[in-house]
Amino acid sequence: MAEIKLAESKVQELKEVCKKFDYDKGELINVLHAAQEIFGYLPAEVQEIVADELNVNIAHVYGVVTFYSFFTMIPKGEHPISICMGTACYVRGAEKVLDEFKRLLDVKVGETTPDGKFSVSSLRCVGACGLAPVVTVGEKVYGRVAPEGVKDILAEYN
Amino acid sequence: MDIVKLNIDNKPVVVEKGATLLEAAKSVGVDVPTLCHMKLHDMNYENNPGGCRVCVVEVEGRRNLAPACKTECTEGMNVNTHSLRVINARRTVMELILSDHPAECLTCVKNGKCELQTMAQNLGIREIPFEGEQSHYKEDRSPSIIREVDKCIMCRRCEMACNEIQTVGCLSAINRGFESVVAPAFEMDLEKSTCTYCGQCVAVCPTGALSEVDHTRKVLSTLVDPTKTVIVQTAPAVRAALGEEFGMDAGTLVTGKMTSALKKLGFDKVFDTDFAADLTIMEEGTELLGRLQKHLNGDKDVKLPILTSCCPGWVNFFESNFPDMLDVPSTAKSPQQMFGAVAKTYLADQMGIKREDMVVVSIMPCLAKKYEAQRPEFAVDNNPDVDFSLSTRELAQMIKGANINFEDLTDEDFDNPMGESTGAGVIFANTGGVIEAAARTAYEVHTKKKLEKVEFESLRGFEGIRSATVDFDGLPIKIGIAHGLGNARKLLEDVQAGKSEFHAIEIMACPGGCIGGGGQPYHHGDTSILKKRAAAIYREDEGKEIRKSHENPFIVKLYEEFLGEPCGDLSHKLLHTHYFDKKKKVEINND
């Protein structure tokens, strides 16, 4: 198993959140939201802290984390790639672009490359339909992306 | 009290406001079929996720069928529980459930006892018109319990047992939609989780998704091995429940038939765990009196209350939940393990056989006993004191498999020396029984007076947490009792906080005590069965000539010839143990 050392300051921040919610079991989802904001994802160690602080069993916390698709136990890559699958992008071939990212990086949607460099996710409309299909890498936006251009985008980060 | 009047199947019904259609129907003798729903009367627990939809009924004036378990009665309702529309809907629901259920009934451990199978039969399901993907999930085998998640119908009863009744908190529904399963955190195996192996999840599972590890084949092949002497011990709770597996009424005592069946199966000696229960009382009682005497003499370091330690589910529970309190429970081993330790030393010697040529089998109402028997500290040079632990259900299966006509068997007696026991040993099966047995002996040892009335009725009952003060000739002894691990947790938290006033606390992991153990015949939610078993145990005690452990002549002889004195050097070596901090750190399954 991969044991992760959590940053003490972030753990403290999470504990403050639990305190702010008065250690109320009913606030589990809100606490997990905050936790994911702090750590970027919800590794087992973070879920364990939440379970301890709110005094709920860890199986239940894991049950909630795996139920809601917003929560993720996989850390985002150093360069998170999002492919817009909104209507405009979709009709202009976003799926082929997404397939090309998946092929080149050998990951599924929602996964991160083993070296932690890239993660691939899809999203619905970034509000730049004129540039469809749109891809974002971190903060940077790429417009009118064709499958043939995917290789070049990735090259910028290698 | 507000009441509601309605009609169910043309019968007028009057119920309290807030009652469900299911409850209302039951009150007038209409049994609406249910699958996920399970109400444990007497324990105040109800599993009611409203998920399976088998209990739908037709309510006049409503467009959709209503799930009886989740629909509140309202004034003037006209309800039909078996209209054509209802029956067709129930069939469709069952066909859909079965479309993602392995058709392995013939080889399934639950064959003949499965509630899903019964429901399919009652509804006359003859084919499954829906073809689709079947869910597949890894099988998980722990030392006691097997999870075959493919057979799970997501009724969530095991979650109720694990989380609400036992507060073990090891199981939860995870993922969503077609991918959802009930599993421990991070989908780790039970063995790596905080599971106590109490088996209450198995006891309530309607299908074969949860079952016990089956050792019957191994035992059968040992029985025909000419180089092995195979002896068996039977726990007290087994005799009050085994008959149910053969269609007898709950609460039928089958001690003599069970002994006879074991002899027919080929066990060389048939002994009684009750003998070891008497031995437990000698050790645990002496330990209690010792701690109590020190306490009365003003010793501030002595730990009180003393907690019983016979129950392996309970031992697993405190090792992982209260690792800071490992010095509070008695160090006495459980009767199963005391029996094994004495059998493979004293008895083997007496019989003139070597330890490794003796095989000790135990018949237990319990699944945690399987794990307990495998604990490394209960073995000498990798040879365990107890080789195999079988559940009551497994014994019934062996008897059936050997075509022994159980009902027609003539009663036989246990063998000696380890088959002789007192009424005190028998009542170990019931909640309150261990501490009552201890009180019978401790009273006489402490006061040096004869106990006129051996029944301590104040210690009996079915309440989850009970307390009583027993008068030791002017010295009031405060006793606490809890059954069910959730109740145990409450008493333990008081002890942890220094708020407990008890001198001694008895804890049994399963509701009702061992008679309600995870290895007993399935009660399918009918908790009156547990009360009948408990009554049978008290009847067996009443019928015993000797009812106090220290008066068991073979126990007296065992101390004279072999052990010396209770809590003496040899006793400590053979009959006492120590506990481990097993608070689990989260591990992730990478596979």
Side-chain angles (χ1 to χ4, degrees):
Chain A
M1 70 177 268
E3 273 207 34
I4 322 162
K5 283 239 184 277
L6 300 173
E8 186 57 39
S9 62
K10 289 183 172 180
V11 170
Q12 212 44 50
E13 201 182 334
L14 175 58
K15 287 185 175 173
E16 287 297 320
V17 168
C18 296
K19 192 178 168 190
K20 197 187 89 196
F21 282 110
D22 219 8
Y23 306 105
D24 182 355
K25 293 177 174 48
E27 298 287 354
L28 175 61
I29 292 175
N30 286 329
V31 171
L32 288 172
H33 262 279
Q36 185 155 300
E37 204 143 290
I38 296 166
F39 292 94
Y41 69 119
L42 296 170
E45 290 76 0
V46 169
Q47 295 181 42
E48 211 181 354
I49 295 169
V50 172
D52 274 354
E53 293 292 306
L54 301 188
N55 197 21
V56 292
N57 68 62
I58 184 71
H60 179 62
V61 174
Y62 180 72
V64 170
V65 168
T66 54
F67 184 83
Y68 293 102
S69 54
F70 173 79
F71 295 130
T72 175
M73 288 183 63
I74 302 168
K76 282 248 158 66
E78 193 187 331
H79 307 291
I81 301 168
S82 296
I83 295 95
C84 179
M85 298 289 272
T87 313
C89 292
Y90 189 84
V91 297
R92 298 204 56 175
E95 197 176 18
K96 287 190 180 121
V97 176
L98 174 62
D99 285 346
E100 187 64 3
F101 275 110
K102 278 156 62 178
R103 191 182 68 84
L104 288 175
L105 296 171
D106 195 20
V107 291
K108 296 193 192 99
V109 173
E111 287 184 350
T112 302
T113 53
D115 61 4
K117 204 152 184 185
F118 296 105
S119 55
V120 175
S121 63
S122 68
L123 50 77
R124 298 257 177 245
C125 197
V126 292
C129 305
L131 297 174
V134 174
V135 169
T136 62
V137 180
E139 300 286 301
K140 194 167 176 189
V141 179
Y142 296 83
R144 303 215 171 90
V145 181
E148 300 76 45
V150 168
K151 196 162 55 16
D152 298 333
I153 293 175
L154 291 176
E156 286 181 36
Y157 301 92
N158 275 323
Chain B
M1 183 184 77
D2 286 346
I3 56 159
V4 176
K5 291 180 192 164
L6 67 159
N7 287 300
I8 297 179
D9 293 348
N10 294 320
K11 288 183 188 178
V13 191
V14 182
V15 290
E16 251 182 77
K17 198 173 184 304
T20 63
L21 284 177
L22 186 65
E23 289 161 341
K26 202 175 176 66
S27 74
V28 288
V30 175
D31 282 324
V32 176
T34 56
L35 204 51
C36 64
H37 179 266
M38 184 180 236
K39 184 160 187 167
L40 298 173
H41 296 273
D42 309 315
M43 289 182 226
N44 274 327
Y45 285 103
E46 186 173 13
N47 182 57
N48 195 9
C52 77
R53 257 37 188 182
V54 161
C55 69
V56 286
V57 294
E58 193 162 4
V59 179
E60 203 179 277
R62 275 178 69 151
R63 192 165 56 90
N64 292 334
L65 297 178
C69 68
K70 282 289 187 192
T71 307
E72 199 179 310
C73 296
T74 56
E75 188 67 30
M77 262 183 173
N78 282 315
V79 180
N80 191 333
T81 72
H82 51 76
S83 66
L84 179 63
R85 194 179 160 210
V86 163
I87 290 169
N88 281 337
R90 285 189 192 140
R91 282 188 165 173
T92 307
V93 163
M94 273 304 288
E95 286 163 357
L96 284 165
I97 293 174
L98 293 175
S99 73
D100 184 24
H101 191 85
E104 292 170 7
C105 289
L106 278 179
T107 51
C108 178
V109 63
K110 224 33 186 303
N111 190 10
K113 294 167 189 166
C114 172
E115 292 175 41
L116 186 67
Q117 196 182 43
T118 306
M119 187 68 65
Q121 181 65 331
N122 288 350
L123 289 171
I125 308 296
R126 294 292 171 263
E127 59 181 339
I128 296 151
F130 307 105
E131 263 182 54
E133 201 185 335
Q134 296 239 330
S135 48
H136 291 290
Y137 196 79
K138 61 176 180 175
E139 187 181 293
D140 173 10
R141 298 179 76 91
S142 71
S144 293
I145 295 170
I146 302 172
R147 289 169 59 231
E148 290 175 83
V149 180
D150 290 351
K151 295 178 183 172
C152 172
I153 56 166
M154 293 300 283
C155 71
R156 323 285 286 266
R157 289 186 194 174
C158 55
E159 277 185 70
M160 170 193 70
C162 188
N163 301 334
E164 291 175 42
I165 301 178
Q166 301 295 61
T167 67
V168 169
C170 155
L171 294 174
S172 173
I174 59 154
N175 299 329
R176 67 189 300 169
F178 191 68
E179 306 293 321
S180 57
V181 290
V182 174
F186 313 113
E187 305 187 51
M188 66 176 95
D189 292 338
L190 275 185
E191 199 172 354
K192 289 182 176 170
S193 75
T194 53
C195 177
T196 64
Y197 304 129
C198 74
Q200 285 303 307
C201 56
V202 180
V204 297
C205 179
T207 72
L210 293 163
S211 62
E212 66 266 50
V213 172
D214 185 339
H215 288 311
T216 56
R217 275 167 193 273
K218 284 182 189 161
V219 171
L220 283 169
S221 48
T222 324
L223 284 170
V224 295
D225 183 342
T227 65
K228 302 286 182 192
T229 301
V230 188
I231 67 169
V232 64
Q233 51 163 322
T234 62
V238 178
R239 68 207 64 190
L242 180 64
E244 293 165 30
E245 289 279 323
F246 300 93
M248 297 177 177
D249 290 337
T252 309
L253 279 168
V254 294
T255 319
K257 288 188 196 305
M258 173 185 70
T259 313
S260 176
L262 289 165
K263 289 183 178 175
K264 286 203 162 38
L265 282 170
F267 287 98
D268 294 302
K269 296 279 181 195
V270 180
F271 292 129
D272 202 348
T273 313
D274 298 19
F275 170 86
D278 282 334
L279 190 55
T280 302
I281 288 304
M282 300 303 290
E283 294 297 322
E284 209 166 76
T286 305
E287 196 185 344
L288 164 69
L289 284 176
R291 285 204 211 173
L292 193 63
Q293 201 56 56
K294 279 187 194 163
H295 171 75
L296 293 173
N297 293 344
D299 184 342
K300 293 273 183 273
D301 293 333
V302 69
K303 295 272 184 183
L304 278 181
I306 186 167
L307 304 171
T308 57
S309 56
C310 314
C311 169
W314 152 234
V315 169
N316 293 339
F317 185 73
F318 74 67
E319 283 184 328
S320 52
N321 287 279
F322 297 92
D324 54 326
M325 293 168 67
L326 298 181
D327 53 349
V328 182
S330 162
T331 57
K333 286 182 189 173
S334 74
Q336 166 176 279
Q337 294 308 137
M338 284 202 186
F339 183 99
V342 173
K344 287 204 174 175
T345 51
Y346 172 74
L347 185 73
D349 241 22
Q350 288 228 318
M351 292 173 79
I353 54 173
K354 282 189 282 188
R355 177 186 177 94
E356 52 273 25
D357 293 335
M358 177 183 269
V359 176
V360 176
V361 177
S362 70
I363 314 293
M364 293 282 146
C366 177
L367 303 188
K369 289 283 176 199
K370 288 175 184 285
Y371 167 76
E372 185 188 47
Q374 292 177 21
R375 278 179 173 252
E377 65 268 29
F378 296 149
V380 176
D381 299 331
N382 289 324
N383 179 284
D385 291 344
V386 176
D387 296 84
F388 302 107
S389 180
L390 304 180
S391 67
T392 309
R393 295 188 293 261
E394 285 173 274
L395 173 60
Q397 197 278 311
M398 277 177 74
I399 295 170
K400 288 174 188 168
N403 58 284
I404 293 168
N405 192 343
F406 189 75
E407 278 171 87
D408 293 346
L409 289 174
T410 327
D411 287 1
E412 287 192 48
D413 286 331
F414 287 107
D415 292 311
N416 278 327
M418 292 176 77
E420 182 68 40
S421 70
T422 72
V426 173
I427 59 173
F428 262 59
N430 290 350
T431 168
V434 171
I435 208 78
E436 180 174 339
R440 289 180 190 178
T441 288
Y443 178 93
E444 293 203 349
V445 173
H446 181 76
T447 64
K448 303 193 173 57
K449 286 182 181 171
K450 188 174 160 53
L451 184 63
E452 293 306 331
K453 184 172 162 36
V454 296
E455 296 91 354
F456 288 86
E457 265 136 24
S458 60
L459 300 174
R460 300 181 179 185
F462 216 74
E463 281 290 302
I465 296 177
R466 306 192 296 283
S467 62
T469 304
V470 174
D471 179 24
F472 271 28
D473 203 25
L475 176 68
I477 303 293
K478 290 180 188 161
I479 290 172
I481 296 163
H483 58 122
L485 289 171
N487 294 321
R489 183 188 288 280
K490 288 180 197 151
L491 284 190
L492 257 283
E493 282 171 351
D494 281 353
V495 176
Q496 202 171 29
K499 288 194 295 189
S500 180
E501 291 186 345
F502 296 119
H503 295 109
I505 294 176
E506 177 207 278
I507 286 169
M508 297 193 188
C510 291
C514 308
I515 49 127
Q520 293 280 63
Y522 295 106
H523 56 64
H524 299 290
D526 181 0
T527 45
S528 73
I529 290 174
L530 304 188
K531 289 188 167 171
K532 289 173 189 157
R533 291 177 191 160
I537 289 292
Y538 287 127
R539 278 203 311 281
E540 178 99 330
D541 167 37
E542 271 168 41
K544 287 271 189 182
E545 215 168 293
I546 307 173
R547 298 176 68 187
K548 288 169 268 185
S549 297
H550 57 290
E551 291 178 355
N552 181 336
F554 288 94
I555 292 286
V556 174
K557 194 164 162 234
L558 180 68
Y559 279 104
E560 279 172 4
E561 283 184 2
F562 181 61
L563 289 171
E565 54 174 6
C567 293
D569 286 346
L570 190 55
S571 291
H572 255 289
K573 185 164 169 268
L574 290 178
L575 308 179
H576 289 255
T577 185
H578 51 282
Y579 307 110
F580 301 87
D581 178 350
K582 289 193 179 159
K583 193 167 171 72
K584 297 272 176 14
K585 290 304 285 176
V586 170
E587 283 190 55
I588 307 165
N589 251 0
N590 284 325
D591 50 22

